[in-house]
Amino acid sequence: MYIQYTMDQLHLPMDLEDDIPLHHLVRVVNEAVNRLDDQIFKDAYPGGGRDSYHPKMLTKVIIYAYTQRIYSSRQIAKAVRENIMFMWIAGRQRPDFRTINRFRSERMKDVLETVFTGVLQFLAEEKYVKLEHYFVDGTKIEANANRYTFVWGKAVVKQKAKLQEKVQALFATIEAAEKQEEREQPELDLAELGEASALTSEKLEAAVQQLETKLQTQTNDKPLKKAVRAIRKDLLPRLQKYETQQEILGDWNSFSKTDPDATFMRMKEDHMQNGQLKPGYNVQIGTENQFIIGYSLHQRPTDTRCLKPHLEKVKAALGKLPNTIIADAGYGGEENYAYLESEQLEALVKYSTYHKEKSRKWQQDISKLDNWQYNQAEDTWTCAAGRKLLFRYESKEKTESGFEIQKRHYRSESCEGCPLREACTKAKGNREISVSMRYFRYKQQARKILRSEEGYALSVRRMIEPESVFGQIKNNRGYRRFLLRGLPKVSLEVGWLSLAHNLLKKAATDHKREMAMQG
């Protein structure tokens, strides 16, 4: 009547192999990691001590966990004990959550990028990617930090300046009191503090030590005691704190107290619609066929300054860059165009006004330089009214990164009596313009490539390349907030996510190919 059921009898076979479907994702992960050379992991294990779990086993477990939306080390350890797929890929071994967490965030810090590159190489060998086109984009992911314990650079500068002025006023009061008394020990005059803005914690420490020496001979000087106590317990610690905060800030405008590497950024997930800033990181990826070819982590909220360091990292990992770089208007700055040209790469990168130029309003705006004509032989610009603007002088300016931009300045011969003046300029005198001729040339090149048949196809494809990958990571796998803290560890998280994504994509591609063959 019933199929025999008993929990006390031993059944064969005990091998879990028969319970794992032939094309299951866990087999894809197992095969990919098995193809890696064992020598890749030697840097993670210097030797000595008792035997460790095999790094390939732990790598497989973590990658498979990320594909299953399991990110907590405790949950991964639980799955290894209870989930048959995890049992199989771990060979029935049971690493605890501390071992798993230490492996993914510490052991693999110098190895994970090599593992990622090794998996990418076999994907290229199997023709999943060709490494010809590189679609770049970025997204912001919230840091594992308190949203309300932050430090703003401007506030630190302001508070530090107030403190320095307070210290100067205190020492001025002490000096004024001393001038009214006979100085028995003139050699103990106060040290020169200089201007308030130049006062450092080292100078203040030296000065307060001098005051403490004076107190040894003037034990009844209550105002001096009170001043020394205020400096030691309040002013000096606060000045040291502000200096430490400024050191952490560096060139940044803000940082989180619970994750000092995270900076405050505006996130797309702003449900209150109030422009709230949250601590986070800017994740840059490059894709081909929706496989992640390269990744990097940045503390800048805008994408423009992230392109060069991102590509440099990819170049170091792969040995060379793909021939064609495709990116949206967020990357279309002169500095990025110059870098891509120096690397002899084809750049399908939109500039900020690319889409606006196609509108009728833009094309009919006679004040726009793009609607004028430039005569290279005469080095003159001709406005919509047919009047020439002549070259006057050249200027140079440097960006925050040190990139030099040369601008040429032109002025109209005469705007007097021009019927189009009101639509052209609001200036009282003759119309003046400044233009970077190099950027002007880059925009012309980009416009020509983007409007070609191949360029248009690639720019359309860009919208379904990295955007789809971000959608998979954030929405389908629910990864919207990092688990670890600090730039090095968060970079490792991005690496694990990228590995998991690529093997998920491989499994999905294999399934489509198999279905196509059967159909």
Side-chain angles (χ1 to χ4, degrees), residues 89 141 179 254 279 353 361 383 391 430 492:
I89 205 168
I141 298 181
K179 286 179 181 179
S254 64
T353 60
K361 181 180 177 181
C383 69
F391 172 74
N430 294 329
L492 287 172

Side-chain angles (χ1 to χ4, degrees), residues 27 122 182 220 232 255 281 335 350 372 405 412-413:
R27 291 188 182 273
F122 106 74
E182 289 186 5
N220 295 326
R232 274 292 179 202
F255 72 86
Y281 293 93
E335 185 174 357
K350 297 175 182 177
W372 294 6
I405 297 176
S412 174
E413 293 177 306

Side-chain angles (χ1 to χ4, degrees), residues 116 134-141 265 281-287 292-311 313-314 325-328 330-331 336 466 469-470 473 482 491 494-495 498:
F116 177 83
Y134 194 80
F135 299 87
V136 188
D137 205 356
T139 191
K140 300 179 186 69
I141 298 181
M265 307 176 179
Y281 293 93
N282 189 344
V283 180
Q284 297 284 316
I285 65 167
T287 68
I292 298 176
I293 308 299
Y295 65 88
S296 62
L297 195 70
H298 304 266
Q299 296 165 291
R300 295 186 178 278
T302 56
D303 293 334
T304 309
R305 291 279 304 280
C306 297
L307 182 64
K308 182 178 178 180
H310 172 76
L311 293 179
K313 180 178 181 291
V314 175
I325 309 297
I326 306 98
D328 65 10
Y331 300 88
N336 287 338
V469 175
F470 289 139
I473 292 173
F482 289 114
S491 296
V494 178
S498 300

